[in-house]
Structure formats: C-alpha cells, structure tokens
Amino acid sequence: MRQLAVIPHPDAKITLFSWNGKYLIKLEKGPFEQTYKVSELDLTSEDDVHTLLDEEFIGSAVQRFRLMQQDLQAAFDRHGI
C-alpha cells in the first residue's frame, strides 16, 4: 500500500492510498475510521479523488462518526460496561 496524500481538514484526518488497483480514502476521527475503496478504473486521475472529497461528502462522513460513537456508547450502556 502506497500513501499518496494527506488531505488537510479540520474535522477529520484524511489519507489517500493506492493499493491493488484501488484508491483507498481513509478518514479518521478519534478512535473511529472509515475507508472507502474506489477502483482506479472509475477515475481518470488522482485529482478525481480530491474532487469527490467535497464538503457534502466530508460532512456526511463526520456525521457518520457521531453515529458510530453513539452506537458504541449504546452497546457499552446495554451491557453495563
């Protein structure tokens, strides 16, 4: 796996990788991460990946991080951990 870029954003760490014919878009926030795999054949260049990472996409991912935290906390609460 080859790291292509770290894309600065205030709400999440975003890292772009190339691996096995795919671009991997990895977003991290605290203990959570989301990875999106996009075939290199679906895009014309790495620049297309940057285009995909618009504010709407990132905003949805950040909201998903909040939901992930809620899901984990609910599981802890259900089991008294």
Side-chain angles (χ1 to χ4, degrees), residues 60-76:
S60 292
V62 169
Q63 176 61 29
R64 198 165 296 107
F65 282 127
R66 289 185 195 107
L67 296 172
M68 292 168 75
Q69 173 61 43
Q70 291 171 4
D71 292 342
L72 181 61
Q73 187 60 53
F76 271 89

Side-chain angles (χ1 to χ4, degrees), residues 41-68:
L41 299 175
D42 291 340
L43 305 172
T44 57
S45 72
E46 182 183 326
D47 290 338
D48 286 348
V49 177
H50 293 268
T51 300
L52 290 174
L53 297 174
D54 60 13
E55 286 305 311
E56 185 174 346
F57 179 89
I58 295 173
S60 292
V62 169
Q63 176 61 29
R64 198 165 296 107
F65 282 127
R66 289 185 195 107
L67 296 172
M68 292 168 75

